[in-house]
Amino acid sequence: MSAPLLRVKDLTRLYGARVGCRDVSFDLWPGEVMGIVGESGSGKTTLLSCLSARLEPTAGSVQYDVRGQGLTDIYIMGEPRRRMLMRTDWGIVHQNPRDGLRMGVSAGANVGERLMAVGARHYGDIRARADEWLGKVEIESERLDDLPLTFSGGMLQRLQIARNLVTHPRLVFMDEPTGGLDVSVQARLLDLLRRLVTDLNLAAIIVTHDLAVARLLAHRLMVMKNGEVVESGLTDQVLDDPHHPYTQLLVSSVLMP
Amino acid sequence: MTHATGYNFAYLDEQTKRMIRRAILKAVAIPGYQVPFGSREMPLPYGWGTGGIQVTAAVIGADDTLKVIDQGADDTTNAVSIRRFFARTAGIATTERTEAATIIQTRHRIPETPLAEGQILVYQVPIPEPLRWLEPRETETRKMHALADYGVMHVKLYEDIARFGRIATTYDYPVLVNGRYLMRPSPIPKFDNPKMHMSPALQLFGAGREKRIYAVPPYTAVKSLDFDDHPFEVQAWDQACALCGATDSFLDEVVTDDKGGRMYVCSDTDYCGRRREAQEAAQ
């Protein structure tokens, strides 16, 4: 079997004496979708920031399988390479699309930004690629030159996804990708995400507090509480047969319509 | 000519001039890199050329000849005041002829007459950071310069083409110096950008309020950013200068009455005047 895409060992992030997350270890394999669930304040977002090279951990290591180099510690490789990685091999989808988009420039420029950052200098090509990706996330071509300000919440989130996937990343980090969207839009976005993840053989780490989202998208699940992983395993296994008291509480708290 | 008593030569004290010269040396050594310096209070307001005037004061010597232009003209308030300022405080010779000057301080233009080796062109710069409107954090823009992380500049040009069908930036057009640093050429029209490329003259840029000095040494590559399918191009006019008939110079539109009358004239007054003199002499 091939090497893991991401190897996390004893990852700890402290905020002074308070714990952000503690002793998290796991391997992520190519094409695998990992869900991280837990209540708010349980350290999900801290963990995601540490994994996606945006927050230096206090201890432990995050190793990524860099193309042609094998597993490399992302906090040791140096800023230029880390930035290159973040804009080519990785994608980061923020909960609030306004954090991940440039609201002042058109949808096309938003999608094309990564291409230009890695050296694309042909306007027609960049525009064609942006148009193609808008199509893949179900945004009409005629909105290509519109400002994101004129987009609805669901469209913004899809635009953000297109912007991240345009360079064909292998690993995408998502922080509550469906947060703040109404249920029908959520369903459509989840459908889209599931299709893209399968078609592109993406690996993804998805932070969510919504167990339905986790069940739909994630192959594997980690349950966090007070900064520690209390239970992990296959999604169906964790959700259908929770062992840890906290997971049992979490699963039983879901409202059934 | 002797200079006014009570002031040091060229107004600034010698230690300040040294400090500025050190910044200039560093700027020349790293073309396009913005070097911080301890900008001083000058006897004119910010935005009127406090950066340029400090650079000029630091490099000027008793045997230099100074020309000052503002929007290409030698006779505007800003140009006249700065020229008189150095005539008084340094007692140096001044001129309006481009080729007779050893130092030319400029705002918004590069002279039409080609510059020569040994000449120094000093630009007045309002905002030195080319990435400022795209990235507000200074820590981040410095990091972007350090990593040559300039993709975002093309996002702006892309947006221009998407909205207007062409690159609509007409002045302060971003350039890449020596294949490395992204630089703001100060608010000169993009018409003048090609003149910076491989210029035999030394080009110094001073931003007084922002406290930055940068430079383009002689014979340095200066490339205006563009797209492969939307190459960089300069403005063109379908008229010639109404006074001297020049077709190769940057023209200003001058409104002549309130009935829609207007004329186009060279913005470089020295260039225009000398062409007219030559035409009259020929007749």
Side-chain angles (χ1 to χ4, degrees), chain A residues 57-72:
Chain A
T58 314
S61 69
V62 180
Q63 290 176 301
Y64 177 75
D65 179 24
V66 181
R67 285 178 218 233
Q69 287 190 1
L71 286 173
T72 314

Side-chain angles (χ1 to χ4, degrees), chain A residues 79-80 83 87 102 104-106 108-109 113 116-117 121-124 126-127 145 147, chain B residues 134 140 143-144 147 149-152 154-155 158-159 161-163 226-230:
Chain A
E79 179 105 29
R83 283 195 175 211
R87 68 164 67 116
R102 282 183 191 278
V105 299
S106 66
E113 178 172 350
M116 293 183 249
R121 292 290 179 265
H122 191 284
Y123 174 80
I126 295 167
R127 194 175 163 81
D145 292 333
L147 291 183
Chain B
L134 305 161
E140 183 61 20
K143 206 176 259 183
M144 288 160 90
L147 303 173
D149 188 359
Y150 295 141
V152 66
H154 273 87
V155 172
Y158 175 99
E159 193 61 12
I161 302 174
R163 280 194 203 174
D226 59 4
F227 285 102
D228 296 344
D229 50 345
H230 284 264

